[in-house]
Amino acid sequence: MTLLYSFLILNILTFIITAYDKRLAIANKKRISEETLLTFAAIGGTIGSALAMYIFNHKTSKKYYLFKFYKIVIIQILIAVGLFYFYEKIVTNS
């Protein structure tokens, strides 16, 4: 249950950071780096980041950013599928 709460908090935080970066962009102020935004997505905040990108139309026209973001999503999917597959193999062999 702690893992679920951690995941939810991370995604909410990532959503807030992405939304705040959009607000800074509108105000022409110093921005949060793309590296920071992508790091939060990579450590598990992909859903929060994607929701903020969609709702606030943020970073959606930046091809290089989207390429990196989708690369993170694909890697996370591959890891999840791999863990699921190997977990099934371990459990059925026991």
Side-chain angles (χ1 to χ4, degrees):
M1 202 58 143
T2 304
L3 186 61
L4 176 64
Y5 290 140
S6 299
F7 179 75
L8 287 172
I9 290 168
L10 177 61
N11 276 281
I12 291 168
L13 181 62
T14 305
F15 180 88
I16 291 168
I17 289 170
T18 306
Y20 182 63
D21 185 55
K22 176 64 175 186
R23 188 173 191 181
L24 292 172
I26 292 170
N28 289 322
K29 293 189 176 180
K30 185 169 171 27
R31 308 272 304 279
I32 298 169
S33 72
E34 287 185 356
E35 182 180 317
T36 300
L37 296 173
L38 289 169
T39 299
F40 274 91
I43 62 173
T46 309
I47 295 171
S49 181
L51 281 174
M53 286 169 55
Y54 175 73
I55 291 170
F56 302 112
N57 196 28
H58 188 50
K59 299 284 189 190
T60 55
S61 64
K62 308 290 184 195
K63 302 271 188 245
Y64 194 63
Y65 181 85
L66 290 175
F67 173 75
K68 290 178 182 179
F69 180 77
Y70 289 126
K71 190 165 75 170
I72 289 169
V73 171
I74 290 168
I75 290 168
Q76 289 176 341
I77 290 170
L78 290 173
I79 289 170
V81 168
L83 289 173
F84 180 77
Y85 175 77
F86 287 115
Y87 179 77
E88 288 293 316
K89 288 277 192 189
I90 293 169
V91 170
T92 56
N93 288 335
S94 296

PDB file of all heavy atoms in Angstrom, residues 48-72:
ATOM      1  N   GLY A  48       1.313  11.638 -14.305  1.00  0.00           N
ATOM      2  CA  GLY A  48       1.120  13.033 -13.917  1.00  0.00           C
ATOM      3  C   GLY A  48       1.651  13.990 -14.966  1.00  0.00           C
ATOM      4  O   GLY A  48       1.020  15.004 -15.278  1.00  0.00           O
ATOM      5  N   SER A  49       2.784  13.668 -15.525  1.00  0.00           N
ATOM      6  CA  SER A  49       3.379  14.499 -16.557  1.00  0.00           C
ATOM      7  C   SER A  49       2.511  14.506 -17.813  1.00  0.00           C
ATOM      8  O   SER A  49       2.252  15.564 -18.390  1.00  0.00           O
ATOM      9  CB  SER A  49       4.783  13.993 -16.893  1.00  0.00           C
ATOM     10  OG  SER A  49       5.382  14.794 -17.871  1.00  0.00           O
ATOM     11  N   ALA A  50       2.058  13.342 -18.227  1.00  0.00           N
ATOM     12  CA  ALA A  50       1.227  13.245 -19.430  1.00  0.00           C
ATOM     13  C   ALA A  50      -0.095  13.994 -19.250  1.00  0.00           C
ATOM     14  O   ALA A  50      -0.544  14.696 -20.166  1.00  0.00           O
ATOM     15  CB  ALA A  50       0.965  11.781 -19.771  1.00  0.00           C
ATOM     16  N   LEU A  51      -0.695  13.870 -18.079  1.00  0.00           N
ATOM     17  CA  LEU A  51      -1.941  14.600 -17.816  1.00  0.00           C
ATOM     18  C   LEU A  51      -1.728  16.111 -17.871  1.00  0.00           C
ATOM     19  O   LEU A  51      -2.524  16.837 -18.472  1.00  0.00           O
ATOM     20  CB  LEU A  51      -2.508  14.210 -16.452  1.00  0.00           C
ATOM     21  CG  LEU A  51      -3.252  12.893 -16.378  1.00  0.00           C
ATOM     22  CD1 LEU A  51      -3.621  12.560 -14.932  1.00  0.00           C
ATOM     23  CD2 LEU A  51      -4.503  12.943 -17.230  1.00  0.00           C
ATOM     24  N   ALA A  52      -0.660  16.590 -17.259  1.00  0.00           N
ATOM     25  CA  ALA A  52      -0.373  18.022 -17.274  1.00  0.00           C
ATOM     26  C   ALA A  52      -0.072  18.498 -18.693  1.00  0.00           C
ATOM     27  O   ALA A  52      -0.514  19.582 -19.093  1.00  0.00           O
ATOM     28  CB  ALA A  52       0.789  18.340 -16.346  1.00  0.00           C
ATOM     29  N   MET A  53       0.677  17.699 -19.443  1.00  0.00           N
ATOM     30  CA  MET A  53       0.974  18.067 -20.828  1.00  0.00           C
ATOM     31  C   MET A  53      -0.316  18.193 -21.630  1.00  0.00           C
ATOM     32  O   MET A  53      -0.469  19.124 -22.425  1.00  0.00           O
ATOM     33  CB  MET A  53       1.900  17.024 -21.466  1.00  0.00           C
ATOM     34  CG  MET A  53       3.327  17.097 -20.975  1.00  0.00           C
ATOM     35  SD  MET A  53       4.355  15.685 -21.466  1.00  0.00           S
ATOM     36  CE  MET A  53       4.189  15.671 -23.224  1.00  0.00           C
ATOM     37  N   TYR A  54      -1.236  17.273 -21.407  1.00  0.00           N
ATOM     38  CA  TYR A  54      -2.499  17.276 -22.151  1.00  0.00           C
ATOM     39  C   TYR A  54      -3.412  18.422 -21.698  1.00  0.00           C
ATOM     40  O   TYR A  54      -3.931  19.175 -22.510  1.00  0.00           O
ATOM     41  CB  TYR A  54      -3.198  15.928 -21.971  1.00  0.00           C
ATOM     42  CG  TYR A  54      -4.567  15.874 -22.593  1.00  0.00           C
ATOM     43  CD1 TYR A  54      -4.725  15.802 -23.975  1.00  0.00           C
ATOM     44  CD2 TYR A  54      -5.707  15.902 -21.802  1.00  0.00           C
ATOM     45  CE1 TYR A  54      -5.981  15.759 -24.544  1.00  0.00           C
ATOM     46  CE2 TYR A  54      -6.972  15.857 -22.358  1.00  0.00           C
ATOM     47  CZ  TYR A  54      -7.108  15.792 -23.731  1.00  0.00           C
ATOM     48  OH  TYR A  54      -8.351  15.756 -24.297  1.00  0.00           O
ATOM     49  N   ILE A  55      -3.590  18.573 -20.399  1.00  0.00           N
ATOM     50  CA  ILE A  55      -4.518  19.578 -19.869  1.00  0.00           C
ATOM     51  C   ILE A  55      -4.039  20.996 -20.162  1.00  0.00           C
ATOM     52  O   ILE A  55      -4.834  21.861 -20.559  1.00  0.00           O
ATOM     53  CB  ILE A  55      -4.729  19.370 -18.357  1.00  0.00           C
ATOM     54  CG1 ILE A  55      -5.515  18.083 -18.104  1.00  0.00           C
ATOM     55  CG2 ILE A  55      -5.442  20.572 -17.725  1.00  0.00           C
ATOM     56  CD1 ILE A  55      -5.579  17.658 -16.643  1.00  0.00           C
ATOM     57  N   PHE A  56      -2.740  21.256 -19.980  1.00  0.00           N
ATOM     58  CA  PHE A  56      -2.207  22.607 -20.135  1.00  0.00           C
ATOM     59  C   PHE A  56      -1.552  22.845 -21.493  1.00  0.00           C
ATOM     60  O   PHE A  56      -1.003  23.924 -21.729  1.00  0.00           O
ATOM     61  CB  PHE A  56      -1.208  22.910 -19.009  1.00  0.00           C
ATOM     62  CG  PHE A  56      -1.811  22.781 -17.643  1.00  0.00           C
ATOM     63  CD1 PHE A  56      -1.412  21.762 -16.796  1.00  0.00           C
ATOM     64  CD2 PHE A  56      -2.797  23.648 -17.213  1.00  0.00           C
ATOM     65  CE1 PHE A  56      -1.959  21.625 -15.532  1.00  0.00           C
ATOM     66  CE2 PHE A  56      -3.364  23.522 -15.958  1.00  0.00           C
ATOM     67  CZ  PHE A  56      -2.947  22.504 -15.117  1.00  0.00           C
ATOM     68  N   ASN A  57      -1.618  21.842 -22.371  1.00  0.00           N
ATOM     69  CA  ASN A  57      -1.004  21.932 -23.696  1.00  0.00           C
ATOM     70  C   ASN A  57       0.450  22.393 -23.571  1.00  0.00           C
ATOM     71  O   ASN A  57       0.901  23.318 -24.233  1.00  0.00           O
ATOM     72  CB  ASN A  57      -1.804  22.869 -24.598  1.00  0.00           C
ATOM     73  CG  ASN A  57      -1.449  22.694 -26.055  1.00  0.00           C
ATOM     74  OD1 ASN A  57      -1.048  21.615 -26.475  1.00  0.00           O
ATOM     75  ND2 ASN A  57      -1.597  23.744 -26.841  1.00  0.00           N
ATOM     76  N   HIS A  58       1.173  21.720 -22.691  1.00  0.00           N
ATOM     77  CA  HIS A  58       2.547  22.108 -22.374  1.00  0.00           C
ATOM     78  C   HIS A  58       3.538  21.110 -22.955  1.00  0.00           C
ATOM     79  O   HIS A  58       3.408  19.910 -22.745  1.00  0.00           O
ATOM     80  CB  HIS A  58       2.713  22.197 -20.852  1.00  0.00           C
ATOM     81  CG  HIS A  58       4.017  22.768 -20.416  1.00  0.00           C
ATOM     82  ND1 HIS A  58       4.509  23.944 -20.922  1.00  0.00           N
ATOM     83  CD2 HIS A  58       4.936  22.338 -19.515  1.00  0.00           C
ATOM     84  CE1 HIS A  58       5.675  24.215 -20.351  1.00  0.00           C
ATOM     85  NE2 HIS A  58       5.961  23.245 -19.502  1.00  0.00           N
ATOM     86  N   LYS A  59       4.499  21.617 -23.680  1.00  0.00           N
ATOM     87  CA  LYS A  59       5.568  20.822 -24.300  1.00  0.00           C
ATOM     88  C   LYS A  59       5.059  19.924 -25.426  1.00  0.00           C
ATOM     89  O   LYS A  59       5.779  19.071 -25.903  1.00  0.00           O
ATOM     90  CB  LYS A  59       6.307  19.950 -23.261  1.00  0.00           C
ATOM     91  CG  LYS A  59       6.982  20.723 -22.164  1.00  0.00           C
ATOM     92  CD  LYS A  59       8.242  21.341 -22.661  1.00  0.00           C
ATOM     93  CE  LYS A  59       9.038  21.936 -21.517  1.00  0.00           C
ATOM     94  NZ  LYS A  59      10.133  22.744 -21.993  1.00  0.00           N
ATOM     95  N   THR A  60       3.822  20.117 -25.858  1.00  0.00           N
ATOM     96  CA  THR A  60       3.245  19.225 -26.866  1.00  0.00           C
ATOM     97  C   THR A  60       3.752  19.526 -28.281  1.00  0.00           C
ATOM     98  O   THR A  60       3.584  18.694 -29.168  1.00  0.00           O
ATOM     99  CB  THR A  60       1.708  19.287 -26.844  1.00  0.00           C
ATOM    100  OG1 THR A  60       1.285  20.649 -27.006  1.00  0.00           O
ATOM    101  CG2 THR A  60       1.168  18.730 -25.540  1.00  0.00           C
ATOM    102  N   SER A  61       4.352  20.682 -28.492  1.00  0.00           N
ATOM    103  CA  SER A  61       4.886  20.986 -29.819  1.00  0.00           C
ATOM    104  C   SER A  61       6.406  20.846 -29.874  1.00  0.00           C
ATOM    105  O   SER A  61       7.007  21.063 -30.926  1.00  0.00           O
ATOM    106  CB  SER A  61       4.487  22.411 -30.229  1.00  0.00           C
ATOM    107  OG  SER A  61       5.075  23.348 -29.357  1.00  0.00           O
ATOM    108  N   LYS A  62       7.010  20.479 -28.765  1.00  0.00           N
ATOM    109  CA  LYS A  62       8.460  20.305 -28.703  1.00  0.00           C
ATOM    110  C   LYS A  62       8.809  18.854 -29.067  1.00  0.00           C
ATOM    111  O   LYS A  62       8.740  17.957 -28.238  1.00  0.00           O
ATOM    112  CB  LYS A  62       9.003  20.619 -27.298  1.00  0.00           C
ATOM    113  CG  LYS A  62       8.580  21.956 -26.742  1.00  0.00           C
ATOM    114  CD  LYS A  62       9.251  23.069 -27.487  1.00  0.00           C
ATOM    115  CE  LYS A  62       8.887  24.402 -26.834  1.00  0.00           C
ATOM    116  NZ  LYS A  62       9.187  25.521 -27.669  1.00  0.00           N
ATOM    117  N   LYS A  63       9.164  18.641 -30.318  1.00  0.00           N
ATOM    118  CA  LYS A  63       9.395  17.283 -30.836  1.00  0.00           C
ATOM    119  C   LYS A  63      10.496  16.539 -30.064  1.00  0.00           C
ATOM    120  O   LYS A  63      10.356  15.368 -29.744  1.00  0.00           O
ATOM    121  CB  LYS A  63       9.758  17.333 -32.316  1.00  0.00           C
ATOM    122  CG  LYS A  63       8.710  17.987 -33.175  1.00  0.00           C
ATOM    123  CD  LYS A  63       7.709  17.007 -33.662  1.00  0.00           C
ATOM    124  CE  LYS A  63       6.793  17.646 -34.674  1.00  0.00           C
ATOM    125  NZ  LYS A  63       5.443  17.738 -34.252  1.00  0.00           N
ATOM    126  N   TYR A  64      11.592  17.250 -29.766  1.00  0.00           N
ATOM    127  CA  TYR A  64      12.704  16.594 -29.083  1.00  0.00           C
ATOM    128  C   TYR A  64      12.303  16.185 -27.671  1.00  0.00           C
ATOM    129  O   TYR A  64      12.657  15.113 -27.199  1.00  0.00           O
ATOM    130  CB  TYR A  64      13.925  17.518 -29.072  1.00  0.00           C
ATOM    131  CG  TYR A  64      15.201  16.816 -28.703  1.00  0.00           C
ATOM    132  CD1 TYR A  64      15.712  15.798 -29.507  1.00  0.00           C
ATOM    133  CD2 TYR A  64      15.895  17.143 -27.553  1.00  0.00           C
ATOM    134  CE1 TYR A  64      16.872  15.130 -29.178  1.00  0.00           C
ATOM    135  CE2 TYR A  64      17.061  16.491 -27.203  1.00  0.00           C
ATOM    136  CZ  TYR A  64      17.541  15.486 -28.017  1.00  0.00           C
ATOM    137  OH  TYR A  64      18.683  14.819 -27.679  1.00  0.00           O
ATOM    138  N   TYR A  65      11.542  17.043 -26.986  1.00  0.00           N
ATOM    139  CA  TYR A  65      11.054  16.717 -25.646  1.00  0.00           C
ATOM    140  C   TYR A  65      10.115  15.514 -25.713  1.00  0.00           C
ATOM    141  O   TYR A  65      10.219  14.588 -24.905  1.00  0.00           O
ATOM    142  CB  TYR A  65      10.337  17.912 -25.019  1.00  0.00           C
ATOM    143  CG  TYR A  65       9.830  17.634 -23.627  1.00  0.00           C
ATOM    144  CD1 TYR A  65      10.655  17.789 -22.529  1.00  0.00           C
ATOM    145  CD2 TYR A  65       8.526  17.192 -23.407  1.00  0.00           C
ATOM    146  CE1 TYR A  65      10.210  17.522 -21.245  1.00  0.00           C
ATOM    147  CE2 TYR A  65       8.066  16.919 -22.130  1.00  0.00           C
ATOM    148  CZ  TYR A  65       8.916  17.087 -21.055  1.00  0.00           C
ATOM    149  OH  TYR A  65       8.456  16.803 -19.794  1.00  0.00           O
ATOM    150  N   LEU A  66       9.191  15.529 -26.669  1.00  0.00           N
ATOM    151  CA  LEU A  66       8.238  14.418 -26.810  1.00  0.00           C
ATOM    152  C   LEU A  66       8.958  13.112 -27.134  1.00  0.00           C
ATOM    153  O   LEU A  66       8.578  12.048 -26.635  1.00  0.00           O
ATOM    154  CB  LEU A  66       7.200  14.731 -27.890  1.00  0.00           C
ATOM    155  CG  LEU A  66       6.194  15.819 -27.538  1.00  0.00           C
ATOM    156  CD1 LEU A  66       5.307  16.128 -28.734  1.00  0.00           C
ATOM    157  CD2 LEU A  66       5.356  15.425 -26.338  1.00  0.00           C
ATOM    158  N   PHE A  67      10.001  13.180 -27.962  1.00  0.00           N
ATOM    159  CA  PHE A  67      10.780  11.992 -28.284  1.00  0.00           C
ATOM    160  C   PHE A  67      11.367  11.382 -27.009  1.00  0.00           C
ATOM    161  O   PHE A  67      11.260  10.178 -26.767  1.00  0.00           O
ATOM    162  CB  PHE A  67      11.892  12.336 -29.277  1.00  0.00           C
ATOM    163  CG  PHE A  67      12.842  11.213 -29.528  1.00  0.00           C
ATOM    164  CD1 PHE A  67      12.469  10.137 -30.325  1.00  0.00           C
ATOM    165  CD2 PHE A  67      14.108  11.215 -28.961  1.00  0.00           C
ATOM    166  CE1 PHE A  67      13.338   9.086 -30.552  1.00  0.00           C
ATOM    167  CE2 PHE A  67      14.991  10.168 -29.179  1.00  0.00           C
ATOM    168  CZ  PHE A  67      14.608   9.104 -29.979  1.00  0.00           C
ATOM    169  N   LYS A  68      11.958  12.237 -26.168  1.00  0.00           N
ATOM    170  CA  LYS A  68      12.541  11.756 -24.912  1.00  0.00           C
ATOM    171  C   LYS A  68      11.459  11.224 -23.976  1.00  0.00           C
ATOM    172  O   LYS A  68      11.632  10.187 -23.328  1.00  0.00           O
ATOM    173  CB  LYS A  68      13.308  12.877 -24.212  1.00  0.00           C
ATOM    174  CG  LYS A  68      14.576  13.289 -24.899  1.00  0.00           C
ATOM    175  CD  LYS A  68      15.218  14.433 -24.133  1.00  0.00           C
ATOM    176  CE  LYS A  68      16.467  14.936 -24.782  1.00  0.00           C
ATOM    177  NZ  LYS A  68      17.055  16.061 -24.042  1.00  0.00           N
ATOM    178  N   PHE A  69      10.323  11.931 -23.904  1.00  0.00           N
ATOM    179  CA  PHE A  69       9.226  11.516 -23.027  1.00  0.00           C
ATOM    180  C   PHE A  69       8.689  10.146 -23.454  1.00  0.00           C
ATOM    181  O   PHE A  69       8.524   9.252 -22.622  1.00  0.00           O
ATOM    182  CB  PHE A  69       8.107  12.564 -23.045  1.00  0.00           C
ATOM    183  CG  PHE A  69       6.952  12.206 -22.163  1.00  0.00           C
ATOM    184  CD1 PHE A  69       7.028  12.369 -20.791  1.00  0.00           C
ATOM    185  CD2 PHE A  69       5.788  11.688 -22.697  1.00  0.00           C
ATOM    186  CE1 PHE A  69       5.971  12.028 -19.965  1.00  0.00           C
ATOM    187  CE2 PHE A  69       4.718  11.345 -21.889  1.00  0.00           C
ATOM    188  CZ  PHE A  69       4.815  11.518 -20.519  1.00  0.00           C
ATOM    189  N   TYR A  70       8.429   9.967 -24.735  1.00  0.00           N
ATOM    190  CA  TYR A  70       7.895   8.685 -25.210  1.00  0.00           C
ATOM    191  C   TYR A  70       8.920   7.565 -25.091  1.00  0.00           C
ATOM    192  O   TYR A  70       8.551   6.403 -24.905  1.00  0.00           O
ATOM    193  CB  TYR A  70       7.357   8.806 -26.637  1.00  0.00           C
ATOM    194  CG  TYR A  70       6.079   9.607 -26.690  1.00  0.00           C
ATOM    195  CD1 TYR A  70       5.946  10.693 -27.529  1.00  0.00           C
ATOM    196  CD2 TYR A  70       5.012   9.296 -25.850  1.00  0.00           C
ATOM    197  CE1 TYR A  70       4.769  11.437 -27.563  1.00  0.00           C
ATOM    198  CE2 TYR A  70       3.834  10.034 -25.874  1.00  0.00           C
ATOM    199  CZ  TYR A  70       3.727  11.100 -26.728  1.00  0.00           C
ATOM    200  OH  TYR A  70       2.574  11.826 -26.754  1.00  0.00           O
ATOM    201  N   LYS A  71      10.191   7.909 -25.191  1.00  0.00           N
ATOM    202  CA  LYS A  71      11.239   6.908 -24.968  1.00  0.00           C
ATOM    203  C   LYS A  71      11.175   6.413 -23.518  1.00  0.00           C
ATOM    204  O   LYS A  71      11.271   5.211 -23.264  1.00  0.00           O
ATOM    205  CB  LYS A  71      12.612   7.511 -25.293  1.00  0.00           C
ATOM    206  CG  LYS A  71      13.725   6.494 -25.337  1.00  0.00           C
ATOM    207  CD  LYS A  71      14.972   7.041 -26.007  1.00  0.00           C
ATOM    208  CE  LYS A  71      15.702   7.986 -25.105  1.00  0.00           C
ATOM    209  NZ  LYS A  71      17.042   8.373 -25.617  1.00  0.00           N
ATOM    210  N   ILE A  72      10.966   7.328 -22.583  1.00  0.00           N
ATOM    211  CA  ILE A  72      10.813   6.953 -21.169  1.00  0.00           C
ATOM    212  C   ILE A  72       9.592   6.057 -20.995  1.00  0.00           C
ATOM    213  O   ILE A  72       9.647   5.038 -20.306  1.00  0.00           O
ATOM    214  CB  ILE A  72      10.706   8.212 -20.279  1.00  0.00           C
ATOM    215  CG1 ILE A  72      12.053   8.915 -20.211  1.00  0.00           C
ATOM    216  CG2 ILE A  72      10.187   7.868 -18.886  1.00  0.00           C
ATOM    217  CD1 ILE A  72      11.997  10.303 -19.592  1.00  0.00           C
TER     218      ILE A  72
END
